[in-house]
Amino acid sequence: MSSFGLEFFFFAFWAILIVVVFVVAVIILLDFSTLLKLKIKQNQVKLNAMIKDQKS
């Protein structure tokens, strides 16, 4: 009985650990992608400004 409880505890611990790591990874990926998109937008704005300066 005690060994079964211990096994269940270990399983629950690993399951929670995997879920937490997965959630953190997803959050990091989402934050990274949004930061990347913002950076790309800023670069596009800079490029557009440079092109306008060159044309005029």
Side-chain angles (χ1 to χ4, degrees):
M1 184 66 193
S2 60
S3 64
F4 172 75
L6 206 65
E7 280 176 24
F8 178 77
F9 171 77
F10 274 118
F11 175 75
F13 174 76
W14 281 115
I16 290 162
L17 198 70
I18 289 163
V19 169
V20 168
V21 168
F22 180 75
V23 169
V24 169
V26 167
I27 289 164
I28 288 167
L29 283 170
L30 285 173
D31 283 354
F32 185 71
S33 63
T34 50
L35 280 170
L36 210 66
K37 282 177 189 170
L38 281 171
K39 208 160 190 148
I40 288 164
K41 278 182 186 174
Q42 285 176 352
N43 287 347
Q44 282 178 345
V45 168
K46 283 179 190 173
L47 279 171
N48 288 345
M50 282 170 69
I51 290 162
K52 281 178 188 172
D53 287 346
Q54 284 175 355
K55 279 182 180 173
S56 59

